[in-house]
Amino acid sequence: MAAAAGTWAFSLPALRKMRELLLRGADATDCVQEAMAAIENDEETGSYVVGRGGYPNKDGLIQCDAAVMEGHSCHFGAVAALSGVGTPLAVARKVMERNTHSFLVGDGAAAFAREQGFMVEDNESMMTERSAEVYKEYLEKKKSPKGHDTLATGDGDQIMCFCPCFHVVLLMKQGLSPMDACQTVLEDILQRVGKENMFELGIIAVNMKGEAGAASSMPFPYCVWCQGQDSIEELMQQPCKL
Amino acid sequence: MARLGIAPGRCFRLLVLLLVLGVRAAPLPLVLNTWAFRRAAETAWCTLQSGGSELDAVETGCGQCEIVQCDGSVGFGGSPDEHGETTLDAMIMDGNTMEVGSVADLRHVKNAIGVARKVMQHTKHTLLVGESASLFAVSMGFPYEDLTTQNSLSIYLKWLNQSCQPNYWKNVIPDPSKSCGPYKRAKELNNRKEWSISQRKMNIHNHDTIGMIVIGETGNVAAGTSTNGATHKIQGRVGDSPIAGAGAYADSTVGGAAATGDGDVMMRFLPSYQAVEYMRMGIDPTIACQKVISRIQKYAPEFFGAVICANTTGSYGAACNKIPGFRQFHFMVYTPLLSQPSEQVVDCI
């Protein structure tokens, strides 16, 4: 049984790629890496806060976070605040396979990437016209007293306090369907923080039978493919109400 | 018995104490921390007694360990990385609001958990890393200073003299088991499965962490960690301690948990989050900790690690994975039943 799912509509080309690779019998991790690299390195998808052409931080640097995990062995690799590499997930995979640690950050992560043969580019080549424009706007706003100090508020800051993906897997282990597991986790968090303080959160899950599910606090498009299906389903998850 | 230096009578008393405290609910407040870090438990308790919040207690308790450099594994002047620098990881979590503040790969600032608290209080982010975290700390008024001491320098020099052994490299040239770097990647991996979690040599001697859970009189839960990470780690390495759900977790509707050990492996299993989830289902804290350990055992039978947890009724427990050289795990407990922090021991499973 092969299956794949991706968050947001821009994962569609990645899912197409993964479907093609999986049907050819490729290794699951290779599929994830190859399909993700195309998105990460594409300036067009940078505006979705992924890789090249993304949003710079307050010092004007594009820094990326990525993680990869293999379910059968529980091997895991991650990088954070990595500058100058267009394919951060591939670096995370090298951390998983070639480094005895699991998580590298900052300059150490960049040094490791270089040792592994990745080209570490300067920041300018990671930026697109759009990235530069966004940063310029940010600097101008900062000068004027009325401006906000946020460039791109990531809800990741709040999401990581709830370990939602781990919780979904635990619930599926207890026998919940992917849809029910995602809904339960989202409702839990919603109840916890209250409707008025709820942040943007979208969760997707796939189980070993190839069934998929999702839950979200905002309209959330996602893509799913399961072996036996000709095409990739583009689905829209409506926000959970409490 | 005699060799362990424990008199039978004391053993019996300890057993009775464990039965009384472990099975029945103990009165609150409760301070629970990993390892025999007595001063940390004392400091956290004093903070509570003088009217501080649960978060204040966690911050000062772990902060005390950073000052006295508990076992050389917390705070400045310990566990130099492969360039000889000490870097710190820490987190703090508020079980009422589920807010977390954490720092990783923090350089040149001693009070890591203090900075983590400031991340929680003064930013909308959760985790800051590296030199940028240091700049944030300085902007919050923390002193920027050298974390190297004679002790960390001598550990580093000794390691250089023994051809950088042990280290954390694999599949690189020159052969990392014989020589120092700089390393380059070997052409191809001869065997992807060559390295397994069980072959790791990390143990009690090169890594531990203070993890602390504080449950206040009214059942508010806070948890936190602080560590200087694995000795001779590769530059930029972050362990489990600053990751919510891995190093520690707090939820005032249930309780709290903290983990210590081989962070590279443990962070993949979110042991603290899972212990809290088990307790949410009504499972006793000791059993919850044991279930977490046995789940990791399935994938990594020889991992070095321990978990502590406590629920809001004041019950607490601990568990560890039995490996050569690590058969028992010591932890500290402070409750109103005790006039001083009590060191307790659990046999590893």
Side-chain angles (χ1 to χ4, degrees):
Chain A
M1 165 59 66
T7 57
W8 306 107
F10 68 84
S11 68
L12 184 64
L15 272 252
R16 274 201 199 111
K17 180 105 203 153
M18 279 204 263
R19 171 169 160 262
E20 184 192 314
L21 291 166
L22 284 168
L23 287 175
R24 256 195 264 149
D27 170 76
T29 312
D30 291 336
C31 294
V32 171
Q33 181 183 328
E34 194 167 323
M36 293 282 270
I39 291 189
E40 289 172 325
N41 227 348
D42 183 351
E43 293 181 351
E44 289 298 305
T45 50
S47 53
Y48 299 113
V49 207
V50 187
R52 189 183 300 275
Y55 294 98
N57 69 7
K58 76 173 170 60
D59 302 317
L61 281 174
I62 291 186
Q63 294 189 318
C64 300
D65 300 348
V68 62
M69 181 156 193
E70 287 184 341
H72 61 89
S73 58
C74 272
H75 284 175
F76 174 77
V79 289
L82 171 64
S83 315
V85 182
T87 55
L89 187 120
V91 182
R93 183 173 182 187
K94 291 286 185 221
V95 173
M96 173 170 82
E97 288 177 352
R98 295 188 179 227
N99 198 302
T100 44
H101 299 313
S102 293
F103 188 10
L104 296 182
V105 304
D107 294 342
F112 173 76
R114 210 172 283 120
E115 272 152 9
Q116 291 299 320
F118 287 90
M119 196 173 50
V120 179
E121 305 169 38
D122 54 20
N123 192 53
E124 265 84 79
S125 64
M126 294 292 291
M127 300 270 277
T128 55
E129 257 173 49
R130 193 190 139 82
S131 314
E133 234 167 65
V134 169
Y135 186 59
K136 212 174 124 203
E137 265 170 41
Y138 162 73
L139 288 179
E140 272 159 16
K141 263 191 202 165
K142 227 175 112 177
K143 273 186 227 145
S144 75
K146 272 186 221 152
H148 290 289
D149 203 33
T150 48
L151 186 51
T153 347
D155 293 314
D157 297 312
Q158 283 154 296
I159 292 171
M160 74 183 291
C161 302
F162 293 92
C163 309
C165 297
F166 184 72
H167 198 176
V168 166
V169 173
L170 287 184
L171 292 173
M172 292 198 296
K173 210 170 187 169
Q174 288 166 27
L176 262 66
S177 71
M179 189 59 88
D180 288 346
C182 289
Q183 294 288 342
T184 305
V185 169
L186 196 102
E187 279 163 25
D188 263 9
I189 297 173
L190 195 52
Q191 202 152 27
R192 202 57 221 238
V193 302
K195 207 174 169 184
E196 59 293 346
N197 296 321
M198 189 56 194
F199 45 89
E200 278 198 1
L201 166 63
I203 318 172
I204 55 169
V206 182
N207 67 12
M208 296 307 286
K209 290 186 234 166
E211 297 164 341
S216 64
S217 60
M218 69 288 173
F220 176 49
Y222 66 106
C223 302
V224 180
W225 171 77
C226 180
Q227 202 170 349
Q229 281 178 359
D230 289 339
S231 61
I232 291 150
E233 276 184 279
E234 289 174 80
L235 299 163
M236 174 64 92
Q237 183 65 35
Q238 289 308 322
C240 176
K241 290 191 185 74
L242 195 70
Chain B
M1 250 358 207
R3 247 178 60 210
L4 288 172
I6 300 168
R10 201 175 144 202
C11 250
F12 179 68
R13 279 210 304 280
L14 189 66
L15 189 67
V16 170
L17 195 67
L18 281 176
L19 283 174
V20 168
L21 296 178
V23 177
R24 271 200 266 142
L28 295 170
L30 169 73
V31 172
L32 188 67
N33 67 261
T34 56
W35 306 107
F37 299 148
R38 179 174 297 269
R39 301 260 313 261
E42 245 164 26
T43 305
W45 188 260
C46 288
T47 300
L48 285 179
Q49 295 310 309
S50 51
S53 69
E54 295 77 12
L55 284 169
D56 294 336
V58 168
E59 184 185 347
T60 57
C62 295
Q64 182 65 28
C65 248
E66 291 169 349
I67 295 167
V68 301
Q69 303 162 284
C70 285
D71 269 2
S73 66
V74 184
F76 69 102
S79 308
D81 70 9
E82 60 176 4
H83 297 300
E85 188 173 355
T86 295
T87 65
L88 308 177
D89 295 350
M91 72 162 269
I92 190 163
M93 180 159 190
D94 180 342
N96 292 347
T97 61
M98 308 307 280
E99 283 175 306
V100 175
S102 60
V103 287
D105 191 28
L106 177 71
R107 292 143 190 263
H108 298 108
V109 180
K110 286 182 177 172
N111 183 205
I113 194 157
V115 181
R117 179 108 188 251
K118 292 286 182 285
V119 172
M120 179 163 85
Q121 285 175 329
H122 299 290
T123 78
K124 294 174 186 169
H125 296 311
T126 293
L127 172 57
L128 297 184
V129 305
E131 273 296 340
S132 312
S134 313
L135 294 180
F136 167 77
V138 169
S139 74
M140 289 286 127
F142 291 84
Y144 189 88
E145 49 199 325
D146 193 356
L147 302 190
T148 304
T149 59
Q150 274 308 321
N151 178 50
S152 65
L153 192 62
S154 75
I155 297 172
Y156 175 58
L157 293 176
K158 195 177 155 216
W159 179 75
L160 283 181
N161 276 329
Q162 55 196 34
S163 308
C164 307
Q165 304 302 314
N167 62 61
Y168 290 96
W169 291 91
K170 62 178 184 180
N171 299 323
V172 288
I173 43 173
D175 183 353
S177 69
K178 296 192 178 72
S179 39
C180 291
Y183 304 104
K184 282 204 166 122
R185 66 174 170 152
K187 279 281 173 270
E188 247 335 294
L189 298 180
N190 10 0
N191 179 2
R192 251 187 87 180
K193 300 271 179 311
E194 179 192 343
W195 173 79
S196 76
I197 293 173
S198 62
Q199 287 169 320
R200 298 171 61 86
K201 299 249 164 43
M202 200 176 260
N203 61 40
I204 191 164
H205 302 297
N206 63 6
H207 188 256
D208 45 35
T209 301
I210 178 151
M212 180 178 274
I213 303 152
V214 172
I215 304 183
E217 240 168 316
T218 52
N220 294 333
V221 183
T225 61
S226 182
T227 184
N228 52 31
T231 311
H232 313 311
K233 64 190 167 198
I234 293 169
Q235 192 197 5
R237 179 266 190 186
V238 174
D240 59 335
S241 303
I243 315 280
Y249 207 68
D251 181 339
S252 296
T253 62
V254 181
T260 179
D262 183 346
D264 294 318
V265 172
M266 291 183 81
M267 71 157 73
R268 305 167 195 178
F269 299 93
L270 297 185
S272 299
Y273 184 82
Q274 194 169 27
V276 170
E277 281 309 303
Y278 280 135
M279 291 193 295
R280 191 193 305 279
M281 296 172 195
I283 295 173
D284 166 80
T286 305
I287 312 279
C289 289
Q290 288 171 350
K291 282 170 83 87
V292 167
I293 292 292
S294 54
R295 176 154 184 268
I296 306 176
Q297 277 170 341
K298 277 183 215 151
Y299 295 92
E302 289 169 51
F303 85 101
F304 161 61
V307 180
I308 56 171
C309 67
N311 65 26
T312 49
T313 67
S315 294
Y316 59 86
C320 50
N321 185 33
K322 186 157 79 184
I323 50 170
F326 186 52
R327 302 182 165 278
Q328 286 187 320
F329 170 62
H330 295 246
F331 61 101
M332 299 301 305
V333 181
Y334 212 148
T335 77
L337 290 180
L338 304 160
S339 56
Q340 54 172 327
S342 144
E343 182 176 334
Q344 303 201 354
V345 185
V346 64
D347 287 324
C348 295
I349 54 169

